[in-house]
Amino acid sequence: MQREMRRSDRQLAIEEAKEILTKAEYGSLATIGEDGYPYVVPVSYAFEDSSIYIHGATEGHKLDNINFSSKVSFCVVGDTNVLPSKFSTEYESVIVFGRASIIEQEEKLHALECLIKKYSPDFMDSGMKYIANDKHKTTVVKIDIEKITGKARR
C-alpha cells in the first residue's frame, strides 16, 4: 500500500495514534480528482472505532473527487512545540489511508451525533434538534481506515 515510515524510531503505537486522532481539533482530507490533481481541504471530523466522519455541503470539489476515487488520505497534527534554538519542533501527527463513501439514514445520523459530541458536548439536546431539522442540508462522508500511522518527536 504505502512505504514504511523512514524514521521508525519516531513511530507511535496504533493505540497512541488513535488517541491523537480522537483529540485533534481538525484534520486535512486529501482526495484525487479526475484531472489527476490532488485536493487537500481542512475539515472538522469525528473518529470512532475504525472510521472517520466528515460533514459538509451537498456538492463541491471534495465530493466530486470522492465520487471519482474513493481512495483518500487524512492527516491530523496534535500537540506541537517549536524549539527555536534547536531549529526544530516537537510534534505528534497521524496519517490515515482509507476509502471514503457517502453515508445515509441511521449511519448518517449517528455520524452527525458523533460530531455534536466532539464539538458541542454541552449542547446535545439542541444539537440533536439541529440535526433533525437540517440533516438534509449536509452530506456525511465516512472514511473506512485501511492503514493508520502515528509519528512523534517529543
Side-chain angles (χ1 to χ4, degrees):
M1 180 184 275
Q2 292 82 28
R3 294 175 67 154
E4 293 301 314
M5 188 179 298
R6 185 182 62 81
R7 289 294 307 262
S8 59
D9 59 314
R10 294 187 179 168
Q11 188 165 354
L12 301 174
I14 296 295
E15 287 308 312
E16 190 171 4
K18 287 180 177 181
E19 288 174 20
I20 295 166
L21 196 55
T22 299
K23 75 175 183 177
E25 189 172 348
Y26 72 92
S28 295
L29 174 68
T31 61
I32 192 74
E34 194 171 356
D35 59 4
Y37 281 96
Y39 177 69
V40 180
V41 60
V43 294
S44 300
Y45 74 97
F47 168 67
E48 184 180 71
D49 299 324
S50 59
S51 300
I52 294 169
Y53 298 110
I54 300 164
H55 76 296
T58 57
E59 61 181 57
H61 198 159
K62 171 177 60 200
L63 296 178
D64 290 347
N65 285 6
I66 289 169
N67 285 324
F68 170 72
S69 174
S70 65
K71 292 180 180 179
V72 298
S73 181
F74 186 77
C75 176
V76 300
V77 177
D79 295 334
T80 62
N81 179 33
V82 176
L83 305 170
S85 65
K86 295 185 178 183
F87 310 103
S88 189
T89 302
E90 293 175 333
Y91 65 89
E92 54 186 24
S93 63
V94 175
I95 297 177
V96 167
F97 293 91
R99 300 276 179 161
S101 61
I102 310 301
I103 57 173
E104 299 291 342
Q105 308 299 342
E106 294 303 315
E107 190 173 21
K108 177 180 179 177
L109 296 176
H110 173 72
L112 292 170
E113 183 177 353
C114 288
L115 287 158
I116 296 290
K117 284 180 186 174
K118 178 175 181 176
Y119 293 103
S120 302
D122 295 336
F123 302 94
M124 287 305 297
D125 289 340
S126 56
M128 296 308 290
K129 289 176 188 169
Y130 183 82
I131 289 170
N133 292 332
D134 289 348
K135 64 182 175 273
H136 63 284
K137 296 179 183 178
T138 188
T139 298
V140 176
V141 173
K142 176 184 180 183
I143 301 172
D144 290 311
I145 297 173
E146 296 176 351
K147 182 176 181 180
I148 179 172
T149 59
K151 186 176 179 182
R153 179 175 193 260
R154 297 181 172 129

